[in-house]
Amino acid sequence: LRIVRTVAEMRAVSRGRVGLVPTMGAFHEGHISLMREARKESDLVVCSLFVNPTQFGPNEDFKRYPRNEDRDALMAEEAGVDILFAPSVDEMYNDSSAIVTVPGVSELWEGAQRPGHFDGVATVVCKLLNIASPDVAYFGLKDLQQCAVIRRMVKNLFMPVGLKFCPTLREADGVAMSSRNVYLSAADRSRAPLIHRELERCASIFRSRLTVEQTLKEITQSKAVLADNCFSVNYFALVDTDSMQPRDTPIKGDSIIVAARLGTTRLIDNIQIS
Ligand code: PAF
């Protein structure tokens, strides 16, 4: 595994069929599954490790976001990564004021709860794609709206890269793997599986044809179950998976998305209706 810190060096080493896995580090099996997927399909696997300050709000967890580059480097090497691109904030943002905004798909849900978040994500992903010039970039579907924003950015700006969105990895009890799960207290961790349970419950009902009232009733019930179990629900909603616009009644391919706070930890998850 080679660790690269500068844009110039990254550009110089990028060759053959390149697969890029953009990350903020603190690896878990979800990240590793993206690296393995990239390994299967690429000559050169590049994993970026960059805790991107511009996607965190002023009161969010940028400072305390888990960082352990040595451990991450070992895990990346084991997963078959060739290059770990780990630039400094200065290297990525020195003297830079250009911002990528993807209106519409960025505005609701996470975009409404975390103003500026998706500008930060789109801007850094655009930079990373321009630096590593991958043939394919790999993202996890756990961040469903992020996937929709990146898909729209790449399409609208004619960026010459393929995108692969990979399934969410879950713990045995259904909790979606996330670097932020380490923040959960033991009591909150034991409540966390309820999110996936409610998503599955709604998804199985939403496979049938439902009225607007029936759809709303199930969503309201899930919100109440979560609220009764100490969650503070930001949103629990049925959306069109591509545009992220809300939907009144479900159709196949739609997604149910949720964000809820347990203590000081904000969890997000989603499920697609099959
Ligand atoms: O999903 C993440 O870890 C980040 O949002 C990403 C895509 C690496 C951009 O910083």
Side-chain angles (χ1 to χ4, degrees):
L1 179 86
R2 176 163 168 183
I3 299 186
V4 170
R5 307 268 175 208
T6 67
V7 172
E9 189 185 351
M10 187 59 242
R11 286 228 160 101
V13 295
S14 193
R15 83 186 87 79
R17 187 178 162 79
V18 177
L20 172 69
V21 182
T23 80
M24 299 205 300
F27 295 155
H28 50 67
E29 274 305 309
H31 297 109
I32 302 301
S33 70
L34 300 178
M35 296 171 202
R36 294 216 174 99
E37 195 62 24
R39 181 70 282 164
K40 278 195 247 160
E41 303 172 345
S42 324
D43 301 321
L44 188 80
V45 177
V46 179
C47 172
S48 62
L49 192 176
F50 180 63
V51 184
N52 173 35
T54 65
Q55 70 187 75
F56 289 80
N59 299 318
E60 293 183 3
D61 56 343
F62 175 67
K63 283 225 173 81
R64 72 167 182 145
Y65 196 83
R67 290 167 172 85
N68 191 339
E69 187 183 303
D70 292 345
R71 175 180 169 275
D72 284 349
L74 282 173
M75 289 174 76
E77 181 159 40
E78 238 164 65
V81 169
D82 300 301
I83 293 177
L84 191 67
F85 177 53
S88 66
V89 172
D90 257 13
E91 183 70 9
M92 291 297 279
Y93 283 106
N94 183 25
D95 192 29
S96 107
S97 58
I99 289 174
V100 182
T101 299
V102 190
V105 70
S106 292
E107 282 158 19
L108 292 172
W109 322 120
E110 288 306 285
Q113 297 283 329
R114 306 178 65 190
H117 170 68
F118 286 122
D119 287 356
V121 169
T123 302
V124 82
V125 171
C126 177
K127 285 177 189 242
L128 292 167
L129 295 174
N130 286 337
I131 295 165
S133 304
D135 294 270
V136 180
Y138 298 79
F139 298 90
L141 279 166
K142 170 166 177 295
D143 297 302
L144 188 73
Q145 192 174 6
Q146 169 170 286
C147 293
V149 169
I150 293 167
R151 190 194 300 116
R152 192 64 58 99
M153 171 183 79
V154 164
K155 186 170 175 225
N156 287 182
L157 300 180
F158 304 104
M159 297 170 86
V161 62
L163 297 174
K164 198 149 183 186
F165 301 114
C166 303
T168 302
L169 261 70
R170 298 184 180 281
E171 307 288 354
D173 60 6
V175 173
M177 290 187 186
S178 162
S179 306
R180 290 187 167 102
N181 289 350
V182 296
Y183 300 154
L184 290 168
S185 68
D188 285 342
R189 177 64 188 77
S190 71
R191 297 181 178 107
L194 259 186
I195 289 195
H196 182 56
R197 224 173 291 159
E198 283 307 310
L199 284 173
E200 285 216 300
R201 190 189 69 77
C202 281
S204 76
I205 294 168
F206 286 4
R207 279 178 198 123
S208 333
R209 193 186 283 272
L210 295 182
T211 63
V212 176
E213 292 72 30
Q214 287 166 327
T215 308
L216 193 62
K217 180 176 152 263
E218 299 306 333
I219 288 178
T220 306
Q221 183 178 326
S222 283
K223 282 183 175 168
V225 168
L226 292 174
D228 287 349
N229 285 277
C230 302
F231 288 86
S232 156
V233 181
N234 291 150
Y235 57 79
F236 191 106
L238 174 69
V239 299
D240 172 295
T241 304
D242 185 56
S243 68
M244 298 302 290
Q245 293 306 300
R247 226 110 30 219
D248 286 343
T249 56
I251 61 173
K252 192 174 174 215
D254 283 352
S255 296
I256 309 166
I257 57 171
V258 54
R261 202 175 279 282
L262 258 182
T264 56
T265 310
R266 198 161 168 279
L267 302 175
I268 65 170
D269 203 348
N270 66 82
I271 198 166
Q272 193 165 18
I273 297 159
S274 54

